[in-house]
Amino acid sequence: MRRRSSASTEEDPADEAVTAEGAPLDDDERDRSFTTAKFDVTRHSDTLDRRKVEKALSTAPLTQHAWSIESETYGDVRKLEYALPPKSQSTVEAKMPEHKDWRRSRIHRSPWRGSLLTSAVTVLSVLFLYCMVRSVLTRQRDPKGCNMSYMSPMFAKLSDFDTEHTRFASKYSLYLYREEGIDEDTMVKGVPVLFITGNAGSHKQVRPLASEAAVYFHNHVQQDPEALKAGIRSLDFFTADFNEDITAFHGQTLLDQAEYLNEAVAYILSLYHNPRRSRRDPGLPDPSSVILIGHSMGGIVARTMLIMPNYQSNSINTIITMSTPHARPPVSFDADIVRTYQRINDYWREAYSQRWANNNPLWHVTLISIAGGGLDEIVPSDYTSLASLVPETHGFTVYTSSIPNVWTGADHLSILWCDQLRKPIIRSLIEAIDVRRPGQTKPRADRMKIFKRWYLTGMEEAAEKTLSQKEPTTLLTLEDNSNSILSAGERLTLRDFGHSGKPQAYLLPIPPQGAPGGTKFTLLSDQPLDVPGGTGKLEVLFCSVFPLQAGHASTLFSMSMDLSGTTSGSTRLACKNAASDVIPLPASTRTSRNAFEGSPPLSFLQYQIEELTEHQFVAVIDKTNTPDSGWAIAEFSDNPDSLVSADVALRRLLMMGLRVRLSADRPMVSEIKIPAMHSSLLAYKLTVGAQACGGEAELFTPLLRQYLVDPHESKYFVNVKEANINFHGVAPFLPPPLQGRSSASGLSLQLWSDPNCNSSIEITLEVDIFGSLGKLYMRYRTVVVAFSLLIVALVLRKQFMVHDATGVFITFAEALDLCLRRSLPMLLAALSLIAISLASVSDHAKPATAGPLEWATSTNATAMDFTKNDALLGSQDSFFWFLVPLFGIVSVGVCVLVNYAALTIIHILSYFYSFLTTKPAWIRNDDRRQRTSAPAFTSVSPRRRIITTGILLFLVSTIIPYQFAYMVACIVQIATCTRALRLARDTRSGLHCNFYNYAHSILILMLWILPINIPVLVVWVHNLAVHWLTPFSSHHNVLSIMPFIVLVETLTGGTMIPRITTSFRHVTNILFFFLAMYAAIYGVTFAYQLHHLVNVACAWLVAVHFSASKLSFSGLTHMLDGEGEEGDVKKQP
């Protein structure tokens, strides 16, 4: 047997043997020729048209390409003969029967058939997904405590802000909010505040905040002359209507909004300069800045405004954001959104890394990020962190559960209308206002003090006490022989008030600094602490002995409190009131269930001994004259007695839990620090044992606070017996902080308990494994897409390897089974080692710290690697290496489910297609007599294909985004698979089965890329829906879609990809292996790159297809002239 040259005209003997039988083959013989592979010979450019197959059977030409890409000859001995030297052909012929049986079993293997191993992995994956979903829905759920807010809104559209001011006037609108019945005047008269809505948000979401501002100013501030004199005015709330633009998925839309809002800020400020539009006091300076409040992605738009070319310097100095993902984009499907985030964050980091304030363009800007916590299931609250962007001198992140008198989490939308939350936001803004300054706000340092006082608990190290900044205002006079002075170290306990029938003072001597027995003062009461001159039950004063002559008190003190009675001798104390430093705590009684129930809060005072050095006594004054209910506890305690440091490793904590016993003689406040509890991926169950109080009832039941130092997240558990502990500590993919974390990092538990019970308490802490699964969902939602693409890439790699080696394109399920047996476990093991290595590098990275004389971060902050947590699973703890194989198993199951879903859809469509194309019986009989059959793939003119592809590419380059063309390509590929399945099922041909398996696998690959393209497509459709007819501003690169279109167009003709037997076959191997590795390592952070990598792989497949075709310049000219293939040449005149 010999192979003739492609240029030879001599007949091949084998060909003569095939055609020597004379008469055409009937249908049964034709089918048998494919199933038994006796006469299976084709060309490189054969399509799966039945007529072309019949023609190939009669002529059987054989060609050889320069790459040695072999034809699909299923079962023909000649294929192996041509691939081997002549002396080896006898061996091949001897082994041919076994090879033919193997190929027959692979060719006709059902695409539904899966192995036991694949089934077992799929069951494990589905079970894990079920447990995760159930954990999200039922375990570790924070209670919802937000009260509904009510308002009477009015919106005045500012129609003057038109195309003369902005090019977006036809798409966006600007409104001024007014409260009906309170402030219906559309003239501006206060301080401008601009509300920026989030992704797909409405401008009407400004209503709760704007209404509260109008009502609070009308009912309280307007009646306070001192506040008006201090420069406090009302807030003029403006809001932009973005027609529910989608900014989370499209970076250019985010930039467009920022450009529009900068022009809106300039227009808003111009209103205050116009006497016809403003009712401000002409003696006040014109406003030069606007306060920004942003929700969700609106907060990112607010920060983007400061880097835009049209930004007016110093026009923004205060930004408050709610549920805004500052640290990283919520999804990375769009290249523009990722680059915009990087540009914004780099600008802010660079600004705050400057040593001198004159070089910092953001020196005057304060940024507050408010997060909703675990209830926010749209944006992970970990991403709201400002630790990597802003120093504590200019901003911080706080959770709603930490804010005093809010004490509840909030979901992504309720954070806007939560009645408890809108009150501190508006009150803090009004207090920060000073219309006597052009910036309309107090200086930055004063603003930060105000925000910390309103938003933080008051127990943080950053919280500032006002006691040392005050002057004594109260003169307290006591009788000399008073027996109300407690001995050193004695605890004061008041179980009721007014039992003596007159006001009474209890003095606690302040121990000297460094003396044993007292390093911290604490006081807790169920009564509010009275201010000087008030009529409350309880007042706390910090006093010093003041030898003052009689009659001089009125000249030095605004208040005088004489408790000496009728005695001649007396002791006079100069005192400061501590009411301004009180820390509200949620009430904890036997009937309490949640911290946000609305019961009157407890009053808590806490001072370190260093803060009391100028005082000698703490005076706790019972001001009631008649018996009344209430209680108070005050004491000095040592920090070592109240602090328990649990130095336990995370692995031991996971296996054995933690048990701590608090002694019976413990202080009122005990604290347990657990540095190992720092990861937001784990949840815990905490149990507090009951304490026996003997004959006297507890003054209050145990109150627990869990807190993190950075970010400022606290949760309170009242009447605690059991508690679900979850928090937002060290999270995946977050960049490192500007400043190094303190040595006391990790979770801390603070417990208030009645010390008079003289009973020990046992605290048990265990990891909630099932509850922790739900935490993985929020942090790793997009990992399944990335790892699933890893699986699909490995499967395609295996399919092409088998195809190049044997000529059989195995099914997706069979290739997945082969990957599960070797390549996938090895790759997951390697990725696990990489995860451990990346976590180790992150742990040992040296943090940048601020010097004692530097206002911000050190100058080497810009040299920090803020991308070191971007790779793989983004974990900073090597303990979580097991998540790599875990997500690998989950992704295998997801790929199996998607594969079967695609098979189901294709089979259903195939049955419909067969039903619609079935001919009547008399036509079928006539076709049988003529020995012809209808083709499954209609032959389309090459010129028509080129023109159609050219038009689509032209539209992509001008009007539509390439994502739309990609969706069209997916639909066309589904149609191709449908026709291929019908043909393979009707003919049971090995060639047709191969093509169907190939087309189906390409469809699966395209389906996994589709989620990356859908968001931008949705943005484009939304722009059309709002009649924004300007050409889409991004995603017009035709090279990003051309290989997809050409490959899909090639497959529509039924063309099977040829085999590669030379070293070029390794290119396919390397491309899909690189795609798999990139999907696993950077698929979450740079998901948009996956589209381009698959695009490159498709370009290679197109090159392989064209390598087997007779493509030349003359052939292309013939195509454009209308000449077809296979001798279908258009007649020329």
Side-chain angles (χ1 to χ4, degrees), residues 955-1034:
L955 293 177
V956 168
S957 64
T958 55
I959 301 176
I960 65 175
Y962 68 76
Q963 287 82 0
F964 178 81
Y966 184 85
M967 187 189 67
V968 173
C970 290
I971 296 174
V972 173
Q973 186 64 16
I974 292 175
T976 300
C977 291
T978 301
R979 291 184 292 169
L981 176 61
R982 182 225 173 172
L983 187 60
R985 188 173 58 238
D986 290 347
T987 65
R988 296 191 57 80
S989 164
L991 182 63
H992 299 159
C993 291
N994 266 12
F995 177 75
Y996 170 69
N997 293 336
Y998 169 53
H1000 178 79
S1001 296
I1002 295 298
L1003 174 62
I1004 295 297
L1005 178 64
M1006 295 179 67
L1007 289 179
W1008 277 112
I1009 299 298
L1010 188 60
I1012 300 175
N1013 293 279
I1014 284 180
V1016 175
L1017 182 62
V1018 171
V1019 175
W1020 178 68
V1021 173
H1022 174 268
N1023 283 354
L1024 295 180
V1026 298
H1027 306 290
W1028 180 245
L1029 301 181
T1030 302
F1032 204 57
S1033 56
S1034 63

Side-chain angles (χ1 to χ4, degrees), residues 9 187 384 593 629 716 740 742 745 782 789 794 898 900 1063 1132:
T9 58
M187 303 280 284
T384 62
R593 298 184 60 185
S629 61
Y716 294 92
S742 63
S745 60
T782 57
L789 193 57
L794 289 180
V898 171
Y900 284 136
S1063 58
Q1132 302 293 333

Side-chain angles (χ1 to χ4, degrees), residues 57 78 216 233 406 549 553 826 855 998:
L57 287 171
R78 286 172 299 173
Y216 180 73
R233 294 294 187 273
V406 178
Q549 298 295 327
M826 294 177 61
W855 64 270
Y998 169 53

Side-chain angles (χ1 to χ4, degrees), residues 65 1046 1050 1101-1111:
H65 193 267
V1046 176
T1050 302
L1101 296 181
V1102 169
V1104 174
H1105 274 282
F1106 284 175
S1107 67
S1109 65
K1110 297 180 293 185
L1111 185 63

Side-chain angles (χ1 to χ4, degrees), residues 185 197 380 396 507 543 1108:
D185 187 4
T197 186
F396 56 85
L507 299 184
C543 306

Side-chain angles (χ1 to χ4, degrees), residues 191-195 236 238 264-266 268-269 272 287-293 314-319 438-441:
V191 175
V193 179
L194 178 59
F195 175 81
D236 292 329
F238 297 85
V265 166
I268 290 170
L269 294 177
Y272 292 86
S288 63
S289 67
V290 175
I291 298 173
L292 300 183
I293 299 179
N314 297 329
S315 61
I316 299 170
N317 62 20
T318 302
I319 304 175
Q440 303 297 291
T441 59

Side-chain angles (χ1 to χ4, degrees), residues 170-465:
S170 60
K171 184 180 182 182
Y172 303 144
S173 303
L174 188 65
Y175 291 87
L176 172 66
Y177 179 91
R178 286 301 184 227
E179 184 73 7
E180 185 177 1
I182 293 180
D183 186 10
E184 301 181 2
D185 187 4
T186 59
M187 303 280 284
V188 295
K189 50 185 174 295
V191 175
V193 179
L194 178 59
F195 175 81
I196 308 173
T197 186
N199 180 62
S202 169
H203 68 285
K204 297 180 180 180
Q205 291 175 324
V206 72
R207 293 173 298 179
L209 293 173
S211 174
E212 174 66 21
V215 172
Y216 180 73
F217 180 83
H218 180 268
N219 294 340
H220 298 87
V221 180
Q222 196 171 13
Q223 317 301 328
D224 186 356
E226 294 296 328
L228 298 177
K229 185 178 180 181
I232 296 179
R233 294 294 187 273
S234 62
L235 299 177
D236 292 329
F237 266 87
F238 297 85
T239 179
D241 180 10
F242 292 130
N243 285 311
E244 300 182 359
D245 251 350
I246 302 174
T247 52
F249 304 145
H250 193 225
Q252 188 58 49
T253 300
L254 189 148
L255 295 175
D256 291 347
Q257 290 187 3
E259 178 184 342
Y260 174 82
L261 290 177
N262 273 329
E263 293 162 346
V265 166
Y267 174 77
I268 290 170
L269 294 177
S270 68
L271 296 178
Y272 292 86
H273 304 165
N274 187 351
R276 294 177 299 175
R277 304 295 299 271
S278 174
R279 293 182 54 188
R280 282 172 57 96
D281 186 348
L284 296 175
D286 292 330
S288 63
S289 67
V290 175
I291 298 173
L292 300 183
I293 299 179
H295 172 244
S296 187
M297 292 300 294
I300 298 299
V301 175
R303 290 179 52 216
T304 308
M305 293 169 63
L306 281 77
I307 70 171
M308 298 297 292
N310 64 339
Y311 169 67
Q312 295 184 9
S313 180
N314 297 329
S315 61
I316 299 170
N317 62 20
T318 302
I319 304 175
I320 294 180
T321 66
M322 295 178 287
S323 297
T324 295
H326 290 286
R328 59 179 289 114
V331 291
S332 59
F333 294 163
D334 177 45
D336 288 344
I337 198 73
V338 175
R339 297 191 190 105
T340 302
Y341 255 87
Q342 184 177 2
R343 179 185 169 195
I344 299 168
N345 290 346
D346 287 347
Y347 177 84
W348 282 65
R349 289 167 183 149
E350 177 67 23
Y352 287 120
S353 67
Q354 302 300 318
R355 183 178 296 273
W356 306 108
N358 292 336
N359 298 329
N360 181 7
L362 303 178
W363 167 257
H364 61 289
V365 177
T366 56
L367 175 61
I368 309 300
S369 176
I370 302 176
L375 291 179
D376 191 344
E377 296 178 350
I378 296 180
V379 173
S381 290
D382 308 279
Y383 294 176
T384 62
S385 173
L386 299 176
S388 64
L389 300 170
V390 180
E392 284 282 347
T393 54
H394 288 69
F396 56 85
T397 303
V398 63
Y399 284 71
T400 57
S401 57
S402 303
I403 300 177
N405 296 308
V406 178
W407 296 323
T408 179
D411 61 45
H412 199 68
L413 294 179
S414 67
I415 198 171
L416 284 171
W417 53 258
C418 185
D419 187 56
Q420 301 99 306
L421 178 60
R422 66 173 182 163
K423 289 180 170 59
I425 291 177
I426 294 303
R427 284 158 175 74
S428 64
L429 284 178
I430 288 180
E431 188 175 342
I433 285 173
D434 187 355
V435 295
R436 299 170 298 181
R437 297 168 50 89
Q440 303 297 291
T441 59
K442 292 181 172 63
R444 177 194 54 80
D446 294 339
R447 273 180 280 144
M448 286 301 300
K449 291 179 181 179
I450 293 171
F451 293 144
K452 288 180 180 179
R453 186 172 69 253
W454 278 100
Y455 299 144
L456 302 185
T457 64
M459 292 174 277
E460 297 84 359
E461 293 183 2
E464 297 184 11
K465 306 291 185 181

